[in-house]
Amino acid sequence: MAYGQSKTANVLFAVGMTQRFGAEGINANAVHPGGVMTGLQKHVSHEEQLKMGWIDEAGAQNSRFKSTEQGAATSIWAAVAPELEGVGGLYLEDCAIAKPWSDDTPTSGVKPYALNPDNAERLWSVSEGLVMRPG
């Protein structure tokens, strides 16, 4: 649950950043690279990886995982795509602007609350309160 909340906060931060600074040419977008097997998985037990469907009984990786290059593609696209010039407050995945989440595509898309400007404002205010506290 905490992981999902942190990802939502990333999207809301991009929305908030663009709301505040977009008129000055400063925009932010949230990028989802997709599932990529990295060294981080060494911190997850074999049993947990099986349970989550990351690997099969023989230890073979689930085919839905991307290569390192495929995982980097959306970040690179976000940085250089002419169609994103001056555009922010988006959630990007698979080298595209994410579509709305639906029951039909439960592993992709973005839920409306993650792009909600009021939620972004609330997160921004709470964040400022946490980092601007004296002493």
Side-chain angles (χ1 to χ4, degrees):
M1 186 177 290
Y3 179 81
Q5 290 172 339
S6 73
K7 298 295 115 186
T8 299
N10 287 342
V11 182
L12 290 171
F13 181 82
V15 172
M17 178 74 102
T18 299
Q19 283 176 201
R20 280 168 178 69
F21 304 107
E24 299 172 41
I26 301 169
N27 297 289
N29 290 303
V31 176
H32 176 50
V36 179
M37 281 291 196
T38 67
L40 292 175
Q41 284 78 18
K42 70 182 177 186
H43 301 289
V44 180
S45 72
H46 181 81
E47 293 75 25
E48 274 300 304
Q49 291 187 49
L50 275 170
K51 183 178 171 183
M52 291 186 286
W54 292 359
I55 58 173
D56 64 17
E57 291 290 337
Q61 177 180 302
N62 186 306
S63 63
R64 75 175 186 249
F65 282 95
K66 296 179 176 183
S67 68
T68 304
E69 293 82 1
Q70 291 167 328
T74 301
S75 294
I76 294 167
W77 174 76
V80 301
E83 62 267 37
L84 295 177
E85 183 69 33
V87 178
L90 302 173
Y91 180 67
L92 310 173
E93 63 183 354
D94 296 325
C95 296
I97 298 169
K99 294 183 167 109
W101 181 92
S102 75
D103 288 331
D104 296 332
T105 56
T107 60
S108 64
V110 60
K111 292 192 177 181
Y113 61 78
L115 297 173
N116 183 292
D118 293 332
N119 291 343
E121 181 60 36
R122 214 168 74 238
L123 174 65
W124 199 279
S125 293
V126 168
S127 299
E128 281 182 333
L130 291 170
V131 299
M132 302 293 206
R133 285 189 185 155

